[in-house]
Amino acid sequence: MSTCKHCFCPILVSLELSLQLRSASFITCNLPVITIVQITVWISSISFLAYADITFQSTSDGGKGITDLKSSLQNIFAENLVEKKDDFLQTFSSECGYVQSIVSKGEMMQQKTSNGHKNDLNNHLKTDCYDVEVIRVVGSMLIGHLYSRLVPLVLLLVDGSNPIDITDPRWEILLIVQKKIDQQGDNQLKLLGFAAIDRFYHYPDSSRLRLSQILVLPPYQHKGYGRCLLEVLNNLAISENVYDLTVEEPVDSLQHVRTCMDVGRLLVFKPIQQALDSTIMRLKQENLSKKSQTSSFRPPLSAIEDVRKALKINKKQFLRCWEVLIYLGLDPIDKYMENYRTIISDRTRADVICKDSAAGKKLTEFPTDYDEEMAFVMFKSKTIDANSIEMEENQNNQEEQLKQLVDEKMKEIELIAHKVSLPAL
């Protein structure tokens, strides 16, 4: 394999799929024939073009023919799928400047913590970000060409993901790249990951910043690069004074990192300290097990608004962080664990079980002189029907599910609290 002197040694991402198919997916016969297929997809981290190696370990189609698998793969990779292996290998030299060509048209983003100081916040969460840069790419044509090469990775590696609309001018992409100097003294860039963001209107005269997709490529994961992207995104939200920052359906791992970062930012945010101290003091003094109804331990509205304005943390995320902040303030935590678990249980019950309060309400059609698509009647029956009986039978199951949810939430809170309270390294 030949490469030009201006590119890294080729790094490939290999995706192997071993499939056992029974007369359905790729086989066009009606017989119960089994075909064992191994598909290895190679994706270049230089050009993000792909090559698929398809191996049939055993085939028997009953004379009906087998569907062309490459056409199915092209539904994912489109024009990124290179037909011939030799042509794919050649791209390591012909496309070696692809990342540099994109980055040169972008805007360098200054990476600093949200409090304006050197990167010392939560620095116990080790990262390898000392030699990386974050580049902001705007413009539908530039984003479209780049994203068309990255979207197969999104579809394959991010659960439940869908492609963004690259024709919408509101989209931007943040690229995290690693800069190296080669033997000739030239700067070389390697793409480590990216984040797709957009803005949407918030009444009456502002906008909200939304993180829609974020992906660190598999060879570079667990090194802090995702956290670097989130830090820059937080700074961008503050510098542009958007209403707040939201994340679209974050996976558990992303939500964990995000909460660790936001808790660290809130620990040094003085405007909420008095409200937090007051909440912790109340929780230490009260015995919630003797109360039929637990008092609210949520932050005051003024604190929610201060956090949103200064740090751009939205209300839902702040409430998650608030629970961790209370946990950190209950020292020693074992002494107040029963009280703390009670407020977590009450919050979980309100968020999950009380959503079923609409049970018993029914929507029905009725004769009307108005537009049928715009008119409806909703009523709530006071009589006991089959649904209400089923609800009573499921009550015990709901309580057991609630306990499991609380257990999971407690483990997550304890893990986050442990990470953000570690001494700086």
Side-chain angles (χ1 to χ4, degrees), residues 215-281:
L215 176 65
V216 175
L217 303 183
Y220 318 119
Q221 292 177 359
H222 308 295
K223 297 182 179 180
Y225 298 132
R227 182 173 179 268
C228 287
L229 282 170
L230 291 177
E231 285 181 348
V232 172
L233 190 57
N234 286 332
N235 292 332
L236 180 63
I238 294 172
S239 64
E240 296 193 353
N241 196 28
V242 297
Y243 182 81
D244 63 11
L245 171 64
T246 66
V247 179
E248 183 177 355
E249 298 180 1
V251 297
D252 291 344
S253 56
L254 172 59
Q255 183 59 47
H256 177 83
V257 174
R258 176 191 179 201
T259 304
C260 283
M261 293 176 60
D262 286 342
V263 168
R265 298 164 69 198
L266 290 165
L267 282 172
V268 295
F269 187 62
K270 293 183 179 180
I272 66 168
Q273 194 60 52
Q274 182 176 353
L276 179 60
D277 291 342
S278 176
T279 300
I280 293 171
M281 183 62 66

Side-chain angles (χ1 to χ4, degrees), residues 266 269-276 279 298-311 313-315 318-319 322 325:
L266 290 165
F269 187 62
K270 293 183 179 180
I272 66 168
Q273 194 60 52
Q274 182 176 353
L276 179 60
T279 300
R298 285 192 168 198
L301 293 178
S302 59
I304 295 174
E305 189 67 5
D306 287 341
V307 168
R308 183 196 64 77
K309 287 181 177 180
L311 302 181
I313 299 175
N314 65 69
K315 178 180 177 180
F318 179 42
L319 293 180
W322 186 256
L325 294 171

Side-chain angles (χ1 to χ4, degrees), residues 167-344:
T167 63
D168 190 334
R170 295 176 300 176
W171 285 103
E172 301 176 12
I173 291 183
L174 300 180
L175 304 177
I176 183 166
V177 297
Q178 188 174 52
K179 179 181 290 188
K180 296 289 186 181
I181 299 178
D182 62 17
Q183 295 179 352
Q184 287 73 32
D186 297 328
N187 288 329
Q188 301 302 321
L189 297 177
K190 179 166 57 177
L191 182 60
L192 308 177
F194 77 96
I197 60 176
D198 73 327
R199 291 166 174 77
F200 57 100
Y201 174 71
H202 183 272
Y203 180 84
D205 56 0
S206 62
S207 64
R208 307 179 78 181
L209 188 63
R210 173 170 56 193
L211 172 62
S212 180
Q213 294 175 353
I214 183 169
L215 176 65
V216 175
L217 303 183
Y220 318 119
Q221 292 177 359
H222 308 295
K223 297 182 179 180
Y225 298 132
R227 182 173 179 268
C228 287
L229 282 170
L230 291 177
E231 285 181 348
V232 172
L233 190 57
N234 286 332
N235 292 332
L236 180 63
I238 294 172
S239 64
E240 296 193 353
N241 196 28
V242 297
Y243 182 81
D244 63 11
L245 171 64
T246 66
V247 179
E248 183 177 355
E249 298 180 1
V251 297
D252 291 344
S253 56
L254 172 59
Q255 183 59 47
H256 177 83
V257 174
R258 176 191 179 201
T259 304
C260 283
M261 293 176 60
D262 286 342
V263 168
R265 298 164 69 198
L266 290 165
L267 282 172
V268 295
F269 187 62
K270 293 183 179 180
I272 66 168
Q273 194 60 52
Q274 182 176 353
L276 179 60
D277 291 342
S278 176
T279 300
I280 293 171
M281 183 62 66
R282 284 177 50 217
L283 196 57
K284 287 181 176 181
Q285 294 174 347
E286 296 184 16
N287 187 349
L288 301 185
S289 63
K290 295 182 178 180
K291 290 191 173 184
S292 58
Q293 185 174 359
T294 305
S295 303
S296 174
F297 288 89
R298 285 192 168 198
L301 293 178
S302 59
I304 295 174
E305 189 67 5
D306 287 341
V307 168
R308 183 196 64 77
K309 287 181 177 180
L311 302 181
K312 306 305 177 184
I313 299 175
N314 65 69
K315 178 180 177 180
K316 184 176 181 180
Q317 173 66 2
F318 179 42
L319 293 180
R320 292 192 191 98
C321 297
W322 186 256
E323 294 173 346
V324 181
L325 294 171
I326 292 175
Y327 182 96
L328 290 168
L330 293 173
D331 187 24
I333 183 61
D334 292 342
K335 181 178 179 180
Y336 308 104
M337 181 59 74
E338 184 177 354
N339 268 3
Y340 184 76
R341 185 180 175 89
T342 298
I343 65 171
I344 297 300

Side-chain angles (χ1 to χ4, degrees), residues 63-204:
K64 299 293 184 178
I66 299 177
T67 302
D68 181 8
L69 296 183
K70 287 206 170 180
S71 63
S72 298
L73 289 172
Q74 282 176 338
N75 291 333
I76 299 176
F77 292 95
E79 297 179 355
N80 297 331
L81 191 64
V82 180
E83 183 74 19
K84 298 180 181 180
K85 184 176 182 180
D86 288 342
D87 293 341
F88 174 67
L89 297 179
Q90 186 62 32
T91 64
F92 287 102
S93 59
S94 63
E95 297 270 348
C96 65
Y98 179 71
V99 174
Q100 179 67 49
S101 68
I102 297 294
V103 168
S104 64
K105 299 179 178 68
E107 172 192 357
M108 174 77 68
M109 303 293 291
Q110 293 296 323
Q111 184 179 332
K112 59 182 180 180
T113 56
S114 299
N115 58 9
H117 298 295
K118 192 177 178 180
N119 285 350
D120 56 358
L121 185 59
N122 287 353
N123 59 2
H124 56 273
L125 299 177
K126 289 185 177 180
T127 70
D128 294 336
C129 293
Y130 56 89
D131 60 348
V132 302
E133 296 175 350
V134 177
I135 308 297
R136 181 184 187 181
V137 179
V138 298
S140 57
M141 290 188 63
L142 188 60
I143 289 178
H145 189 271
L146 171 63
Y147 189 75
S148 66
R149 293 199 180 185
L150 296 175
V151 69
L153 289 170
V154 175
L155 296 176
L156 290 170
L157 300 175
V158 181
D159 292 340
S161 61
N162 293 301
I164 65 173
D165 180 7
I166 57 176
T167 63
D168 190 334
R170 295 176 300 176
W171 285 103
E172 301 176 12
I173 291 183
L174 300 180
L175 304 177
I176 183 166
V177 297
Q178 188 174 52
K179 179 181 290 188
K180 296 289 186 181
I181 299 178
D182 62 17
Q183 295 179 352
Q184 287 73 32
D186 297 328
N187 288 329
Q188 301 302 321
L189 297 177
K190 179 166 57 177
L191 182 60
L192 308 177
F194 77 96
I197 60 176
D198 73 327
R199 291 166 174 77
F200 57 100
Y201 174 71
H202 183 272
Y203 180 84

